[in-house]
Structures are given as structure tokens and as C-alpha cells.
Amino acid sequence: MATLSMNVLVTGRGTSGSFQIRGVQLGAAIGADVERMRIKGAYDIIIGVKRVPDALAQAWRGRLVWDIVDAFPQPHGNHWSEAECKTWLSKEVRRLSPIAIIAATRKMAEDCALFGVPVLWLPHHYRPGIKINPIRERIEVIGYEGGLAYIERWRSSIDRECNRIGARFVVNPQNLADLDVVLALRGETGYAPRNWKSNVKLSNAHGSGTPWIGGREAGYLEMATGSEQWADTPQELRDSIDSIAEHSKRQEIGRRFLESRISLEQVAEKLLGFLHGL
């Protein structure tokens, strides 16, 4: 892998899971310094992850690259229209004046193209050290990683399907590979959740070879291998579960996912090329 030929700092509030991925993990992989809320230092480029406070924006003006990942206001921004989302985005770009932008989805990158600065579409890598799913004989455990509030609208349907096939529903398992099927469903249907949310849940499914059922969001559709199952309605959830009931089908999915997974090193290489281009 290429190495940095400049001094780079990755910073931000540092309190979110996205900072762990795009800050701590990715920053270390490219050889950058990673520190929360740092406003001093001899750096050529500063990557501000997610929500960048005014103090950081002012301190690093002229050197700031904004990684937008999941920065829009939540939960109320989850219901915004396309126009509302783009108005917020324009205001943030004016406030931060970044020299470049990193987008979590291709659609987000397209929405940022009008700002006149370089834009990189950088999908998430799978979790380092993730365990490989052994693909058990039958579906006994269906699970979800994330906050329960985000799947509140789906909970009755999930419970009904688990009861129907005799499976347990588990939230935030110790290992993703402990699940026979992982869900990536979402109750919100605003512009940002459908177009700007990252591929992280699918990337971890790919990384572990765990069969996956999710909604048709840009972040997932852009990284799909053809072996994903889709569900935007309760009936589609039922149909998707039934379509992967056979052991051989899930084994095939697991193999396809492992062949297509995106590692931290691959994402770091792409980011390094972008930074050197700046």
C-alpha cells in the first residue's frame, strides 16, 4: 500500500461509531494522526469527520477535507425532503469551506458535485478482525446491529416472522457471525436515510459472510453483489426469509459475500490516492 507523503490529521468530535470507522480505523491505516478536537499542529491536510464544530473549521480553514459521513441532524433530519437535505448540505459547505469532500455513498458524492471542490466516494470497509460465519444448517437466529429505535416500525413484522419459522431475534450480538441472517431495515424514509446513509451494515455482512436482508438504500444498492435479499415491506421480509431458508442457498451467499468484501486496506488505498491528488 502507498504511504503518506504529507502530514495528515483526522479529527472531529469523536463520539460516534462513524468516527471509530472513519477516524480511528481509517486514520491509522493511512498513517495519519488521529485526535479528537485538535485545533493546533503542523499539518498539510485535516480530515474532519462527521459534524465539524466551528472551532475546528476556523482553525483548519484552507486545509480541511470534510468526511460528511452521517453528519446530517438526527433524528429530525431523517424525515427531511430532498430540498431540505440539500439546503442543509449547502449551508454546511459554506460554513466549513472544505478544500475537498469525502462522501459515504455515490449518491451523496453526486449531490456534492456542484460545490466546485474534489469529491471522493468512499464506502465503508468491514469491521477489522470480524469472524467468519459458519453458515449453520437452519435459520435459528435473526439479528440486527444498531439502535432499536431505528427499527421500531419493523419490530412487529420481525417478531412475527421469527415466530413463524421458530427463530430468535437478537439485537447487537457479540459477533455478527453468531447470526444466521442479519437485518438492515429502517423505519425512516426521508431523503437522507435513503440516499446518504453508509453501507456499513452490508459491508460487515460481506466481511463475515452473513446472509443479509435490507432496504433499498443507495449505500446498499451501490455495493450489492447480487446475493442480497431486499425488504421494504413486511411481505418482502417474509419472502426474503423464505428465499434463503435452504442451507445450500445461504452457503452460496456466504461465499459470494466473502469474495466481494471490502477491507480496511482497500479503502485506505483509495483515500491515500485521493489525498495525494489534492
Side-chain angles (χ1 to χ4, degrees):
M1 188 171 75
T3 57
L4 274 176
S5 59
M6 63 194 83
N7 292 323
V8 176
L9 168 69
V10 181
T11 190
R13 289 179 176 172
T15 56
S16 65
S18 53
F19 187 84
Q20 182 68 25
I21 297 169
R22 305 285 259 211
V24 177
Q25 295 173 8
L26 188 53
I30 66 171
D33 289 347
V34 181
E35 188 172 337
R36 291 177 54 194
M37 293 297 292
R38 183 163 182 174
I39 59 174
K40 293 182 180 179
Y43 293 100
D44 302 303
I45 289 177
I46 292 81
I47 301 176
V49 177
K50 196 173 178 178
R51 300 187 182 106
V52 179
D54 287 340
L56 290 180
Q58 292 168 10
W60 302 119
R61 195 168 297 275
R63 286 176 284 173
L64 179 66
V65 175
W66 184 28
D67 187 342
I68 303 179
V69 59
D70 216 23
F72 65 93
Q74 298 173 63
H76 60 281
N78 289 321
H79 307 288
W80 282 351
S81 65
E82 179 177 354
E84 289 172 312
C85 286
K86 290 183 175 179
T87 295
W88 168 85
L89 181 60
S90 296
K91 289 179 179 178
E92 283 297 282
V93 170
R94 286 197 298 271
R95 179 177 71 87
L96 300 176
S97 297
I99 61 170
I101 290 171
I102 300 172
T105 69
R106 185 192 298 273
K107 180 58 178 172
M108 180 188 282
E110 292 172 357
D111 289 340
C112 292
L114 58 86
F115 297 121
V117 298
V119 180
L120 171 67
W121 167 41
L122 193 68
H124 277 356
H125 56 273
Y126 65 84
R127 188 180 302 126
I130 201 165
K131 292 185 177 181
I132 304 302
N133 199 305
I135 310 296
R136 288 160 287 271
E137 185 69 28
R138 62 179 299 269
I139 298 175
E140 296 183 356
V141 185
I142 294 176
Y144 169 82
E145 289 188 320
L148 274 175
Y150 294 110
I151 57 168
E152 184 177 352
R153 184 174 70 86
W154 282 96
R155 189 56 191 271
S156 61
S157 298
I158 294 169
D159 289 342
R160 182 168 57 250
E161 294 309 312
C162 285
N163 290 335
R164 181 177 67 89
I165 66 170
R168 292 184 295 116
F169 179 57
V170 175
V171 177
N172 294 322
Q174 183 174 359
N175 296 295
L176 192 62
D178 294 337
L179 306 178
D180 299 305
V181 178
V182 62
L183 303 179
L185 307 173
R186 196 186 307 278
E188 301 88 353
T189 57
Y191 184 81
R194 302 300 291 186
N195 294 282
W196 290 353
K197 279 286 188 179
S198 79
N199 65 309
V200 64
K201 288 182 172 61
L202 180 55
S203 188
N204 284 330
H206 287 172
S208 62
T210 301
W212 179 97
I213 300 174
R216 294 175 181 83
E217 300 176 10
Y220 300 146
L221 293 167
E222 293 164 358
M223 304 304 296
T225 66
S227 294
E228 295 76 11
Q229 309 301 313
W230 304 98
D232 287 315
T233 67
Q235 184 60 53
E236 285 188 326
L237 176 60
R238 170 169 292 198
D239 293 342
S240 290
I241 291 173
D242 289 346
S243 72
I244 57 174
E246 290 186 9
H247 186 222
S248 60
K249 175 67 172 179
R250 284 180 284 110
Q251 286 180 316
E252 177 188 341
I253 291 170
R255 286 193 295 268
R256 180 70 177 273
F257 279 6
L258 293 174
E259 291 171 355
S260 305
R261 62 184 187 167
I262 300 175
S263 69
L264 172 59
E265 291 74 21
Q266 289 172 298
V267 175
E269 189 76 32
K270 188 173 182 180
L271 177 57
L272 280 171
F274 181 70
L275 295 178
H276 286 141
L278 297 178

